[in-house]
Amino acid sequence: RRSFNWLPRDLWRARSRDGRTTMAEALQPPDSEMPRRKLSFSDSDGLSTSTSAAPERMQAFVRLRPLSGKEARATIATTETDCTISLNKPSAQGYGTIEEHSFSFDGVFGPDASQPEVYEAVMRPQVQALLEGRDTLTFAYGITNAGKTYTVQGGAAPEQRGVLPRALCSIFGALDALRAGGEAAAGSRLDPSCSYKVAASFLEIYGAEAHDLLAPAEKAGSWWQGIRGRGPVPLRIKEGGGKVSVDGLKEAVWADLAEALAAVEYGWANRQSASNGVNDVSSRSHAVLSIKLPWCR
């Protein structure tokens, strides 16, 4: 199994190749004691079962949206990796002072950055890692109205698609090419003798409750039903042995890209949302989309 985990919350962090990097390890990764993640398509095949490259550290990217309203009083200067925010703060005596804050990232995208540009720099390497047999994690973070939904999900027009639908397009594109030509795409570790499927779960964390966003409508309920006491039944969260699991969270198998995009849109619409004074419709929860590539011969 290869897995691709997506946590829609404009900050992305890539987990290491062995899937176990902590923040402390990311800041100072050991050179010789880090175990390598094993990759094997079966117990009998002759393919190499270890990755040869050194573990990767976590990466952080930031995307700036256009300033609006009172935000326009600030100025933002950027380079490819640095961002400096200058705030004009008037004093009680009427004199203005300039306050500066500087930050460094692995990459900075300005307000004019396109959706394809963000995807190619941030998400394409993650998809490639998945096709090479590694686990990946992408985490999107930002305050309300920061632009998370646009970056992750995007708009309806093809050129406005966010990183999530573009990632699905790349995954299914690689599988379709394998099925059509019998050869793996360049750089991938897909085995031409294997049959792959795309399985996914979509989990919502709302307060202390967990909900299945892909559950049928009659089981999932709605936000209004939740207010009236007939909302989605919370799933049971289990902790033990250093692991957290969710009982009752179902995995769906997607046959093609169209089905995957429709399922993600359906799950997105099932998230708890409300007006917050900034957006008329704003998600009130966290969501975790997990994609796996199970295979068989």
Side-chain angles (χ1 to χ4, degrees):
R1 276 178 187 258
R2 305 125 181 274
S3 64
F4 173 91
N5 294 293
W6 180 273
L7 289 78
R9 270 267 323 206
D10 290 289
L11 183 65
W12 297 268
R13 292 176 176 175
R15 198 163 60 182
S16 73
R17 294 177 186 268
D18 72 343
R20 304 196 309 169
T21 295
T22 64
M23 179 62 77
E25 291 170 334
L27 294 176
Q28 191 172 3
D31 295 327
S32 59
E33 298 180 0
M34 180 72 73
R36 292 176 176 176
R37 179 182 180 275
K38 297 297 182 180
L39 171 65
S40 179
F41 296 100
S42 75
D43 294 333
S44 58
D45 67 31
L47 295 176
S48 173
T49 58
S50 65
T51 55
S52 58
E56 296 175 354
R57 66 175 179 82
M58 298 173 69
Q59 293 182 310
F61 298 81
V62 64
R63 186 180 193 182
L64 308 176
R65 63 159 172 73
L67 300 178
S68 61
K70 294 180 179 180
E71 297 171 343
R73 292 183 299 183
T75 59
I76 302 178
T78 64
T79 65
E80 291 185 354
T81 58
D82 298 299
C83 177
T84 299
I85 303 174
S86 300
L87 302 175
N88 188 352
K89 304 185 70 175
S91 64
Q93 292 76 23
Y95 298 101
T97 59
I98 302 296
E99 184 177 295
E100 289 191 349
H101 302 273
S102 298
F103 308 89
S104 294
F105 302 89
D106 291 281
V108 176
F109 301 97
D112 297 329
S114 66
Q115 297 284 63
E117 181 182 350
V118 174
Y119 173 75
E120 290 297 328
V122 175
M123 211 54 240
R124 174 77 73 177
Q126 299 286 68
V127 173
Q128 187 61 38
L130 173 69
L131 298 177
E132 291 173 1
R134 291 180 275 153
D135 294 337
T136 75
L137 173 67
T138 300
F139 184 84
Y141 178 86
I143 62 172
T144 295
N145 202 38
K148 300 182 297 296
T149 299
Y150 181 73
T151 295
V152 174
Q153 190 69 352
E159 66 275 10
Q160 292 181 346
R161 282 183 172 177
V163 294
L164 177 52
R166 290 176 186 273
L168 289 171
C169 184
S170 295
I171 292 170
F172 278 98
L175 295 181
D176 290 343
L178 183 69
R179 294 162 185 159
E183 294 184 1
S188 80
R189 292 291 299 274
L190 299 176
D191 189 341
S193 65
C194 293
S195 175
Y196 293 88
K197 295 181 179 180
V198 178
S201 62
F202 206 173
L203 172 69
E204 177 184 53
I205 306 295
Y206 180 65
E209 295 183 351
H211 304 139
D212 188 348
L213 292 175
L214 298 180
E218 62 270 16
K219 294 183 179 180
S222 68
W223 175 229
W224 175 245
Q225 288 175 330
I227 295 177
R228 297 174 65 87
R230 302 194 308 273
V233 177
L235 302 177
R236 182 185 178 191
I237 302 176
K238 296 171 59 178
E239 298 184 43
K243 297 182 179 180
V244 178
S245 60
V246 180
D247 280 350
L249 182 63
K250 304 297 183 182
E251 275 191 357
V253 176
W254 296 334
D256 52 36
L257 176 62
E259 183 178 358
L261 293 176
V264 170
E265 185 176 354
Y266 171 83
W268 209 276
N270 282 337
R271 293 184 65 184
Q272 313 287 3
S273 62
S275 174
N276 60 5
V278 178
N279 292 326
D280 291 336
V281 179
S282 177
S283 61
R284 301 289 85 202
S285 63
H286 304 281
V288 182
L289 175 64
S290 181
I291 300 175
K292 300 178 181 178
L293 295 183
W295 58 269
C296 65
R297 276 200 169 94

